[in-house]
Amino acid sequence: QADGMSEVKNGTLTTHVLNTASGLPAAGLAVRLARLQEPGMEWMELAQRHTDADGRCQPLLAPGQAKSGTYKLHFETAEYWQGLGHTSFYPFVEVVFIITDPAQKLHVPLLISPYSYTTYRGS
């Protein structure tokens, strides 16, 4: 456990997902990170992860890997809810954000239920 926690703290970009319907972490949820390429405005996928039993995953950007720009976290929420025997109003959730200071550590959590989601800039 201690090793996992120190690894998470060293990451440039981290996320965690909480199932607000149950109050428990959302385990086994697929997450993808992409960066908007200029010019042409195409998304380039940088990382794929699955959340662990604590609703967290390995950092999506390692220290020194971030660049200034527009990024997108894609969460496969329908697949997650189907696994629990629920239908979901949202087939997936995409959170688009801008990194202005690549040296900063960013944490972008997602709170989900079958009919709503919330995200915020965490610390």
Side-chain angles (χ1 to χ4, degrees):
Q1 277 290 16
D3 288 342
M5 290 310 292
S6 63
E7 281 176 43
V8 169
K9 285 180 187 156
N10 291 337
T12 302
L13 174 64
T14 55
T15 186
H16 79 265
V17 186
L18 180 70
N19 174 340
T20 58
S22 68
L24 299 171
L29 194 145
V31 183
R32 295 199 308 270
L33 175 70
R35 184 161 55 89
L36 193 60
Q37 298 292 98
E38 309 275 352
M41 305 301 274
E42 285 186 20
W43 292 101
M44 184 178 94
E45 192 165 293
L46 302 176
Q48 287 188 19
R49 302 279 188 274
H50 278 86
T51 57
D52 62 16
D54 198 30
R56 298 174 187 274
C57 57
Q58 290 295 314
L60 291 140
L61 288 174
Q65 211 183 356
K67 298 177 178 147
S68 296
T70 303
Y71 290 79
K72 171 173 72 176
L73 279 170
H74 177 100
F75 298 89
E76 289 290 344
T77 51
E79 189 180 86
Y80 168 78
W81 290 116
Q82 282 166 5
L84 295 178
H86 296 285
T87 54
S88 172
F89 183 66
Y90 302 101
F92 55 84
V93 172
E94 289 189 332
V95 180
V96 179
F97 57 97
I98 297 169
I99 294 180
T100 51
D101 178 2
Q104 231 173 16
K105 290 182 181 176
L106 283 180
H107 186 62
V108 183
L110 182 68
L111 312 178
I112 58 170
S113 84
Y115 299 101
S116 71
Y117 66 88
T118 306
T119 184
Y120 58 93
R121 182 179 172 167
S123 56

